[in-house]
Amino acid sequence: MQTKIVQAVEAHREAILASFSDLHAIPEWGFNEFKTAAYLQQRLEKAGINIKKYTETGFTADIVGSEDGPAIGLRGDIDALPYKNEAGETYYVHACGHDSHATMVLWTTLLLKELGLVKKGTFRAIFQPAEECLTGAREMIAAGAAASLDELYGVHIRPIQEARVGQASPALWHSASTVAEVTIHGQAAHGARPHLGTNAIDGAALAILGLNSIWVNPAQQWSVKVTKIIGGGTASNIIPDQAIFTLDMRAASNALMDELVRKVTAACEHGAAAVGGHAEVNIIGGVPAAEYDEEAVSYLRTAIEEIIGSKGLLPPIYTPGGEDFHQFKQADPKLKTAYMALGSDCTPGLHDPKMTFDREAILIGVKILTLAMAKRLGCQ
Amino acid sequence: MQTKIVQAVEAHREAILASFSDLHAIPEWGFNEFKTAAYLQQRLEKAGINIKKYTETGFTADIVGSEDGPAIGLRGDIDALPYKNEAGETYYVHACGHDSHATMVLWTTLLLKELGLVKKGTFRAIFQPAEECLTGAREMIAAGAAASLDELYGVHIRPIQEARVGQASPALWHSASTVAEVTIHGQAAHGARPHLGTNAIDGAALAILGLNSIWVNPAQQWSVKVTKIIGGGTASNIIPDQAIFTLDMRAASNALMDELVRKVTAACEHGAAAVGGHAEVNIIGGVPAAEYDEEAVSYLRTAIEEIIGSKGLLPPIYTPGGEDFHQFKQADPKLKTAYMALGSDCTPGLHDPKMTFDREAILIGVKILTLAMAKRLGCQ
């Protein structure tokens, strides 16, 4: 079957690369992927595959086998990134490779259909908007796009430093990322009578130095950084009664993030209390860390080895980056997930508007994903 | 002569209080004291006194003696304070008593003229706009309104806690006040790669805690407080490359303020440098502390004692408040200054829009100031 899939991909080589070029030419910002979604839907419907819309631009494509079996999902994100040109005008670029992910999931779906590889259970392609907003997965989950799935797989092309073309890892371990907004409450007073007030900016400074002194296990990747602050300012002679700062927190695991949030909260509360104020810590955004299923990872590993050989198989890759893919797992703890890091010789780096990569990676990705899905859906 | 002045003030009692009521009814914000200036000028010109305009609303009134002698100035500020009503509309109130100061300087001038008390030298009344902006004195100085003065006197009514009606001090020691803006420069980086950046907010937090650890001599009144901060905020996942904070500094003397500014600068520079950034400290506003001349103070003291007796004479009063009167001295170091704190039973406090005081204080003030000026200008 591996041979059959490889041959089919090679037969469709030009069409697959054309799909990528078409999608690359219509980069759209999160929740506005109208042309992208229409393009993908048109290709799928033409092949007789049922699509179902869950959000304005998010949809699924299902292929149902004739026998009972697991519900296996494959998720591709479809949004691009915004940039500003020298005139200050916003333009969009597929600088994170989501056009390649959409192409891979599109063609995996088309080939599963064309080759009749869904014997049992259900295959569901999830075309997800707004990954860069870190809110697209949440919208799709809320709309029920992943309901009753047993397994869900994802893929991301990687920078040249992490993986070369012809290499892949079955487990790209994203970090947890949490954005918190901390409000320090003090008491206003005239600048000549500071003893009658509580300086919220002093409380914020103490809180920030407190959280800069936090340790969680340094053997794991983590960080906490203040990235914004606004306080006082009513007049230069008023002791400020409020300061608000934003924290960017990252941690290699969700347990580590929980510990970090607890310690950050303590640092803020006690820093504020040291000057007689108090702190409110609100989590305003973020994504959970990867939590993969060993069995699901092993299915991807087997497919990688069969397509590119054991020399191309990489060990797990750990990245400080976040992915809203992991909200599918967070929303449904029994869901088994795995996520492939696909070598692509991407330079100079993801999110750089000049990002380019070797498109051969797309063909390799389609081969691996089609093989992995086929094996989960009754083909041996 | 003391009797002659007291009798003249009593004879003009109703007219003096009417002047106050007229001025109280036309409160105007700094540099916009058009009605106030016109009112005062009209009264002075009607009495045959020459006025000279130095700014749009700032002017002087001179009375020249027939013999050579010193140039003696008496300065009254004329501006009111802005407030907002519940509808958010701005309105103005003479909540700092500048209407009483203008009345006292007006009537001192009128009486010096009427009673022929300027025998030698020159008397100059300075009607100064925009004291509350702390920029009115500077404008008048720049325009030459205080050029060639030998001595300059000032007056301010005091809150009931400091001095009662019938009490006065010949030396109200204002503090120096300095407003500084500190910019911490860092280096931006992605939130996942904080080690490639320099967090300007961390530098600001270190600088703030550093300046909160400063000591100058605690036997003197001083303080330094951060009253505003803005940093980062481009995005919650960007290490901030800039943070700007405002400092309100006060010190009982100019030497103490110089020491404080040096230590604050060191705290900011080294706090920023501790994380690899650097600090810029810019002085953006403020006023110098009082620096009185003992002889000038003694002239006021004598006049106070002759008018209200030694039981009403108060020792020097020290206040954390600032006054731009002291910029006259700063601009002309040989100028001798003194400044009377005049008891007025003012409640609930200066700058409170509901501020009221006992208008009898105005009559006492006119008596003391007219006597003090007359003695400096040739009358014994």
Side-chain angles (χ1 to χ4, degrees):
Chain A
M1 187 185 50
Q2 175 257 357
T3 309
K4 184 171 153 189
I5 289 170
V6 168
Q7 285 172 349
V9 169
E10 291 302 332
H12 289 296
R13 167 178 283 270
E14 294 312 316
I16 294 171
L17 294 176
S19 292
F20 170 77
S21 296
D22 291 343
L23 290 168
H24 190 71
I26 48 171
E28 295 168 298
W29 179 229
F31 296 121
N32 289 283
E33 309 91 339
F34 297 106
K35 290 180 197 166
T36 303
Y39 178 89
L40 294 165
Q41 288 162 10
Q42 185 264 333
R43 293 303 308 261
L44 292 159
E45 285 174 333
K46 196 172 152 192
I49 297 166
N50 286 328
I51 70 111
K52 183 171 177 187
K53 297 183 187 180
Y54 283 88
T55 71
E56 275 199 302
T57 54
F59 64 98
T60 60
D62 283 5
I63 304 174
V64 182
S66 53
E67 297 167 40
D68 280 351
I72 307 294
L74 175 63
R75 175 271 211 172
D77 40 16
I78 64 174
D79 55 320
L81 283 159
Y83 296 90
K84 283 206 189 291
N85 65 18
E86 284 175 12
E89 297 153 346
T90 300
Y91 67 101
Y92 300 92
V93 181
H94 264 302
C96 197
H98 297 191
D99 45 357
S100 76
H101 309 159
T103 302
M104 286 186 251
V105 177
L106 169 67
W107 277 94
T108 296
T109 310
L110 293 174
L111 289 174
L112 288 172
K113 176 76 174 179
E114 180 182 313
L115 303 178
L117 300 176
V118 183
K119 307 287 191 201
K120 64 176 186 184
T122 303
F123 170 76
R124 171 167 294 182
I126 297 180
F127 293 92
Q128 182 210 300
E131 190 279 330
E132 298 294 354
C133 308
L134 298 183
T135 47
R138 197 180 301 157
E139 296 276 309
M140 290 294 276
I141 293 161
S148 76
L149 283 183
D150 296 298
E151 297 169 24
L152 183 65
Y153 297 88
V155 62
H156 208 298
I157 60 169
R158 303 312 299 161
I160 193 166
Q161 298 85 351
E162 273 185 22
R164 301 299 305 261
V165 168
Q167 295 183 317
S169 165
L172 176 59
W173 289 87
H174 296 102
S175 296
S177 151
T178 297
V179 181
E181 189 178 85
V182 182
T183 303
I184 307 291
H185 298 281
Q187 170 70 43
H190 190 277
R193 288 176 284 282
H195 56 297
L196 301 181
T198 298
N199 192 322
I201 299 177
D202 284 346
L206 286 162
I208 290 165
L209 295 201
L211 61 89
N212 281 348
S213 303
I214 287 172
W215 279 109
V216 295
N217 187 351
Q220 285 183 274
Q221 201 173 96
W222 64 274
S223 65
V224 51
K225 296 87 53 183
V226 57
T227 55
K228 179 182 179 182
I229 187 166
I230 292 179
T234 321
S236 69
N237 65 348
I238 303 289
I239 300 301
D241 64 352
Q242 187 175 274
I244 302 176
F245 57 89
T246 302
L247 297 176
D248 174 288
M249 293 182 248
R250 286 154 202 264
S253 73
N254 293 322
L256 201 69
M257 179 59 82
D258 289 346
E259 184 184 346
L260 195 55
V261 168
R262 276 199 309 278
K263 289 184 172 175
V264 161
T265 301
C268 293
E269 286 173 350
H270 295 292
V275 291
H278 68 277
E280 261 179 81
V281 180
N282 292 305
I283 305 301
I284 59 171
V287 287
E291 284 192 14
Y292 296 132
D293 176 73
E294 278 187 38
E295 211 177 310
V297 169
S298 77
Y299 298 139
L300 278 186
R301 184 184 298 115
T302 302
I304 290 169
E305 281 191 297
E306 288 194 26
I307 296 296
I308 57 180
S310 58
K311 70 179 189 315
L313 177 70
L314 294 177
I317 293 175
Y318 294 85
T319 170
E323 231 287 19
D324 76 353
F325 175 86
H326 305 294
Q327 288 177 334
F328 288 101
K329 169 76 177 175
Q330 188 181 45
D332 179 10
K334 71 179 188 324
L335 182 70
K336 296 176 176 177
T337 61
Y339 192 108
M340 177 166 65
L342 182 66
S344 71
D345 286 4
C346 155
T347 57
L350 296 170
H351 285 217
D352 188 305
K354 296 193 185 65
M355 188 278 277
T356 57
F357 68 98
D358 187 336
R359 296 176 185 191
E360 194 64 28
I362 298 170
L363 301 165
I364 297 169
V366 174
K367 291 172 189 170
I368 295 169
L369 292 171
T370 306
L371 180 60
M373 296 301 107
K375 290 195 169 200
R376 295 300 301 134
L377 295 157
C379 297
Q380 291 311 322
Chain B
M1 186 184 51
Q2 175 257 358
T3 310
K4 185 171 152 190
I5 289 169
V6 169
Q7 284 172 348
V9 169
E10 291 302 331
H12 288 296
R13 168 178 283 269
E14 294 313 315
I16 295 171
L17 294 176
S19 292
F20 170 77
S21 296
D22 291 343
L23 290 167
H24 190 72
I26 48 170
E28 295 168 298
W29 179 229
F31 297 121
N32 289 283
E33 309 91 339
F34 297 106
K35 291 180 197 165
T36 303
Y39 178 90
L40 293 165
Q41 289 163 10
Q42 186 264 332
R43 293 303 309 262
L44 291 159
E45 285 175 333
K46 195 173 153 193
I49 297 166
N50 286 328
I51 70 110
K52 182 171 176 188
K53 297 183 187 180
Y54 284 88
T55 70
E56 275 199 302
T57 55
F59 64 98
T60 60
D62 283 5
I63 304 174
V64 183
S66 53
E67 296 167 40
D68 280 352
I72 307 294
L74 175 63
R75 174 271 211 172
D77 40 15
I78 64 174
D79 55 320
L81 283 159
Y83 296 90
K84 283 206 188 292
N85 64 18
E86 284 175 12
E89 298 153 345
T90 301
Y91 67 102
Y92 300 92
V93 181
H94 264 302
C96 197
H98 296 191
D99 45 357
S100 75
H101 309 159
T103 303
M104 286 186 252
V105 176
L106 169 67
W107 277 94
T108 296
T109 309
L110 293 174
L111 290 174
L112 288 172
K113 175 76 175 179
E114 181 182 312
L115 303 178
L117 299 176
V118 182
K119 307 287 191 199
K120 63 176 187 185
T122 304
F123 170 76
R124 171 167 294 182
I126 297 179
F127 293 92
Q128 182 210 300
E131 190 280 329
E132 298 294 354
C133 308
L134 297 183
T135 48
R138 198 179 302 157
E139 296 275 310
M140 290 293 277
I141 293 161
S148 76
L149 283 183
D150 297 299
E151 297 169 24
L152 182 65
Y153 297 88
V155 61
H156 209 299
I157 60 169
R158 303 312 299 162
I160 193 166
Q161 299 85 351
E162 273 186 22
R164 301 299 305 261
V165 168
Q167 295 183 318
S169 164
L172 176 59
W173 289 87
H174 296 102
S175 296
S177 151
T178 297
V179 181
E181 189 177 87
V182 182
T183 303
I184 307 291
H185 298 281
Q187 170 71 43
H190 190 277
R193 287 176 284 281
H195 56 297
L196 301 181
T198 299
N199 192 323
I201 299 177
D202 284 347
L206 285 161
I208 290 165
L209 295 201
L211 60 89
N212 281 348
S213 304
I214 287 172
W215 279 109
V216 294
N217 187 351
Q220 286 183 274
Q221 202 173 96
W222 64 274
S223 65
V224 51
K225 296 87 52 184
V226 57
T227 55
K228 179 181 180 182
I229 187 166
I230 292 179
T234 321
S236 69
N237 65 347
I238 303 290
I239 299 301
D241 64 352
Q242 187 175 275
I244 302 176
F245 56 89
T246 302
L247 296 176
D248 174 288
M249 293 182 248
R250 286 154 201 263
S253 73
N254 292 322
L256 201 69
M257 179 59 83
D258 289 345
E259 184 184 347
L260 195 55
V261 169
R262 276 198 309 278
K263 289 183 173 176
V264 161
T265 302
C268 292
E269 286 173 350
H270 294 291
V275 291
H278 68 278
E280 262 178 81
V281 179
N282 292 304
I283 305 302
I284 59 170
V287 287
E291 284 191 15
Y292 297 133
D293 176 73
E294 278 187 37
E295 211 177 310
V297 169
S298 77
Y299 298 140
L300 278 186
R301 184 184 299 114
T302 302
I304 290 169
E305 281 191 298
E306 289 194 26
I307 297 295
I308 57 179
S310 58
K311 70 180 189 315
L313 177 70
L314 294 177
I317 293 176
Y318 294 86
T319 170
E323 231 287 20
D324 76 352
F325 175 87
H326 305 295
Q327 287 178 334
F328 288 100
K329 169 76 178 174
Q330 188 181 44
D332 179 9
K334 70 179 189 325
L335 182 70
K336 296 175 176 179
T337 61
Y339 192 108
M340 176 166 65
L342 182 66
S344 72
D345 286 4
C346 154
T347 57
L350 296 169
H351 286 217
D352 188 305
K354 295 194 186 65
M355 188 277 277
T356 56
F357 68 98
D358 187 336
R359 296 176 186 191
E360 194 64 28
I362 298 170
L363 301 165
I364 296 170
V366 175
K367 291 171 189 170
I368 295 169
L369 293 171
T370 305
L371 180 60
M373 297 301 108
K375 290 196 169 200
R376 296 300 301 134
L377 296 157
C379 298
Q380 291 310 323

